[in-house]
Amino acid sequence: MAGDITSFSIGGKPKPGLIGGLTSSLGLFGEGQGLSASHNRFEADASPFRNDLYVTGDPVSLNVARFEKFVAMPKGPNGYDITVMSKWRGACFNDSISTNGHFFTGPLTHLAVNAAAHAFTYRFFGNWSAENPGEGYLDLETLKSFEGVTGEPGNFEWKQGRERIPENWHRRPIGDDYTLVSLNSDALYAITTEPYIIAIGGNTGEPNTFTGVNVGDLTDGVFNFKTLTEGNNLACLAFQAVSLGAPDIVRGGLLGSLVGKALQTLTDALSPVLDTFNCPQLVKYDASLLKAFPGAGSGL
């Protein structure tokens, strides 16, 4: 993944924790390369302003032309708000289908990670000033500052390391936290307004070959596309798939015991939240159905 489960970094190799030190010294696994190099785990295709990995080989640098197209969109009631981000997510989804032969949409990477990338742009960057205390407001200058963009439309420029918190910017009020419930709500809004994006599957090696997987087959009938639009089921499938999708090698022996403890820490953190979701119990996750997609990676 991006680290050894107990240690992570944004970019580059993290300092090894107990598991990383053991597995690297024994040559059991490769070394983590940081969140920016964690394709289809934490970094996913169809992001708001970055390229798909298999299109350019660079999913980190901001795509200025993509940014130009986004800021040209009509603003919503709160600037570049969730109504705009949801439409843009649909546009990015279609762009990846038409340009990226390895485009993949998994339960975690698409239903949660990609949904978060788009929703967070407004929810985290919006300015909760006295003039906009309710939902915040995201204007172009604020977005440019957070994304490290300078210049004006038609003449934008981006350089890595220019990202800044804007002057006179106000964070979300304390007590108005953005939670998994909030993310699930924003993800539901997106698939309600842009229903074609609720898809698990991918291109099969060439652009415009997108093939979907039957969610009922993937989850042994626990979920289907209709039930994913109900309650908190989007988040339920995304995060339960993480546990059930772990490879068998981490489930037994000394290594399995060590990794299992680290995974248990994650499970323990998520369980109280997922318990409040009243999730249908996912027992089987048939990742073999995703082998047809060359971009599937970990199958999440």
Side-chain angles (χ1 to χ4, degrees), residues 113-221:
V113 175
N114 183 260
H118 288 266
F120 287 2
T121 300
Y122 163 59
R123 297 299 187 188
F124 289 0
F125 293 171
N127 191 354
W128 265 255
S129 63
E131 293 76 20
N132 299 282
E135 291 289 328
Y137 192 94
L138 180 59
D139 61 18
L140 177 57
E141 291 305 310
T142 300
L143 180 62
K144 283 166 53 181
S145 183
F146 273 113
E147 292 290 351
V149 174
T150 57
E152 300 302 324
N155 192 34
F156 286 133
E157 183 180 344
W158 176 85
K159 287 186 178 179
Q160 193 167 18
R162 284 183 175 175
E163 299 85 355
R164 296 288 185 273
I165 296 175
E167 298 289 338
N168 299 315
W169 177 82
H170 303 266
R171 54 152 287 167
R172 295 177 66 92
I174 295 174
D176 184 21
D177 300 329
Y178 190 85
T179 65
L180 281 178
V181 174
S182 308
L183 173 58
N184 189 77
S185 177
D186 282 342
L188 278 175
Y189 176 83
I191 65 174
T192 300
T193 57
E194 313 293 326
Y196 55 90
I197 68 174
I198 182 171
I200 294 175
N203 281 340
T204 57
E206 298 292 336
N208 293 314
T209 58
F210 192 91
T211 304
V213 168
N214 186 299
V215 175
D217 293 339
L218 186 68
T219 64
D220 199 29

Side-chain angles (χ1 to χ4, degrees), residues 38 85 90 115 123 162 164 186 193 202 223 227 283-284:
S38 60
M85 295 311 305
R123 297 299 187 188
R162 284 183 175 175
R164 296 288 185 273
D186 282 342
T193 57
F223 297 101
T227 59
V283 176
K284 180 182 178 182

Side-chain angles (χ1 to χ4, degrees), residues 244-273:
L244 292 178
D248 290 340
I249 191 172
V250 304
R251 298 185 185 278
L254 173 61
L255 179 62
S257 177
L258 290 171
V259 177
K261 289 179 180 178
L263 288 173
Q264 189 61 47
T265 300
L266 175 62
T267 301
D268 290 345
L270 286 174
S271 288
V273 179

Side-chain angles (χ1 to χ4, degrees), residues 23-126:
T23 57
S24 61
S25 65
L26 296 178
L28 296 175
F29 294 149
E31 295 180 292
Q33 299 299 310
L35 297 178
S36 60
S38 60
H39 185 65
N40 276 345
R41 278 95 77 201
F42 296 106
E43 178 274 314
D45 292 329
S47 70
F49 311 125
R50 267 68 184 174
N51 299 306
D52 286 4
L53 173 65
Y54 292 109
V55 174
T56 66
D58 177 12
V60 176
S61 301
L62 183 137
N63 182 321
V64 173
R66 195 177 183 96
F67 188 82
E68 287 270 11
K69 290 180 180 179
F70 172 76
V71 301
M73 295 180 69
K75 296 185 182 69
N78 294 291
Y80 297 110
D81 58 17
I82 201 65
T83 66
V84 181
M85 295 311 305
S86 295
K87 290 178 182 177
W88 183 241
R89 186 182 176 201
C92 294
F93 176 86
N94 287 331
D95 180 70
S96 288
I97 288 177
S98 65
T99 61
N100 180 5
H102 284 64
F103 180 47
F104 174 70
T105 58
L108 175 68
T109 55
H110 185 60
L111 300 184
V113 175
N114 183 260
H118 288 266
F120 287 2
T121 300
Y122 163 59
R123 297 299 187 188
F124 289 0
F125 293 171

